[in-house]
Amino acid sequence: NAGVTQTPKFQVLKTGQSMTLQCAQDMNHEYMSWYRQDPGMGLRLIHYSVGAGITDQGEVPNGYNVSRSTTEDFPLRLLSAAPSQTSVYFCASSYSSGSGEQFFGPGTRLTVL
Amino acid sequence: KNQVEQSPQSLIILEGKNCTLQCNYTVSPFSNLRWYKQDTGRGPVSLTIMTFSENTKSNGRYTATLDADTKQSSLHITASQLSDSASYICVVLRGHNAGNMLTFGGGTRLMVKP
């Protein structure tokens, strides 16, 4: 199993550009989520999905869109990048949204100029 | 307010020494508490998960304790190795609802020196 994979690993954008961060998992997990990690702060939940076709907002959803057309993939779209979105983004998955262990991807480091 | 506070923010120890990292939380209702290890440039990896009824849990040289009454947890690392250099993150699962369910601490950055 590859686990949770994310692409790209690094990305530099200019303000106003859009892009999609890719996330895929091969563990047949129903629950997937996106977090951002900023220096000195804990990870914060952006969006999550409890299964294909179902998504919901987390703690910091503004400026981001998600969709879940398959169990395996959960892309995160930045609509119009802003410098405040400079961060490291992690995708995670788990068997359930409850007490199950979460598996994290390797992260995407995004810089918005 | 649901919060997870960790101390110290950073720690330097010599290889072979033991250390203890602290975690205090105000998350309610409590479901479980997790410790993650995050190497530089990598995603967090789970070390332990403890429920309300578990006081201690070990994973090799890592031992986590939980006091649900005082809402405190600790992670003890025995006989540290250079590979233990990483950030250690305390995470509390809140309730049983989907979304906003995990509250993350800011982490303790541990450096093990030879």
Side-chain angles (χ1 to χ4, degrees):
Chain A
N1 283 352
V4 180
T5 58
Q6 292 182 236
T7 57
K9 193 163 180 60
F10 301 96
Q11 183 70 50
V12 178
L13 293 177
K14 293 181 180 178
T15 297
Q17 286 185 314
S18 63
M19 78 158 296
T20 299
L21 307 186
Q22 302 291 345
C23 174
Q25 51 90 11
D26 61 358
M27 297 174 282
N28 201 32
H29 287 169
E30 290 296 321
Y31 185 87
M32 296 185 72
S33 53
W34 276 101
Y35 295 90
R36 60 178 289 172
Q37 185 175 38
D38 299 297
M41 299 180 67
L43 276 76
R44 292 180 293 170
L45 182 67
I46 304 171
H47 284 285
Y48 67 94
S49 168
V50 299
I54 306 170
T55 64
D56 207 344
Q57 296 181 349
E59 181 184 359
V60 288
N62 292 342
Y64 307 95
N65 264 0
V66 292
S67 60
R68 185 94 179 271
S69 56
T70 67
T71 298
E72 293 78 21
D73 301 298
F74 190 43
L76 177 72
R77 280 183 289 277
L78 277 71
L79 308 173
S80 177
S84 61
Q85 293 179 305
T86 294
S87 187
V88 181
Y89 292 84
F90 289 100
C91 178
S93 73
S94 64
Y95 284 113
S96 72
S97 58
S99 57
E101 179 179 353
Q102 286 217 344
F103 296 85
F104 287 84
T108 294
R109 183 173 293 274
L110 175 69
T111 301
V112 183
L113 303 175
Chain B
K1 187 178 179 181
N2 293 299
Q3 285 186 315
V4 176
E5 301 286 344
Q6 293 187 243
S7 62
Q9 280 192 320
S10 62
L11 182 63
I12 302 174
I13 62 174
L14 293 176
E15 186 179 12
K17 298 296 185 182
N18 303 336
C19 67
T20 300
L21 314 181
Q22 301 292 340
C23 172
N24 296 335
Y25 63 92
T26 58
V27 177
S28 181
F30 174 89
S31 182
N32 64 48
L33 184 144
R34 305 138 183 246
W35 283 93
Y36 286 86
K37 178 186 179 187
Q38 185 177 21
D39 293 313
T40 301
R42 310 286 290 273
V45 174
S46 179
L47 293 175
T48 64
I49 300 177
M50 288 186 294
T51 61
F52 185 90
S53 59
E54 295 176 296
N55 301 111
T56 184
K57 202 159 197 178
S58 292
N59 179 357
R61 294 179 297 101
Y62 301 101
T63 300
T65 65
L66 173 64
D67 185 334
D69 291 330
T70 62
K71 299 188 177 182
Q72 295 180 325
S73 176
S74 65
L75 180 70
H76 186 75
I77 304 174
T78 303
S80 61
Q81 301 176 357
L82 298 179
S83 59
D84 292 331
S85 295
S87 288
Y88 292 85
I89 304 173
C90 177
V91 186
V92 178
L93 176 68
R94 182 172 79 246
H96 299 285
N97 299 318
N100 279 334
M101 61 179 184
L102 292 176
T103 303
F104 289 78
T108 293
R109 182 174 295 276
L110 174 66
M111 182 179 296
V112 180
K113 290 193 169 183

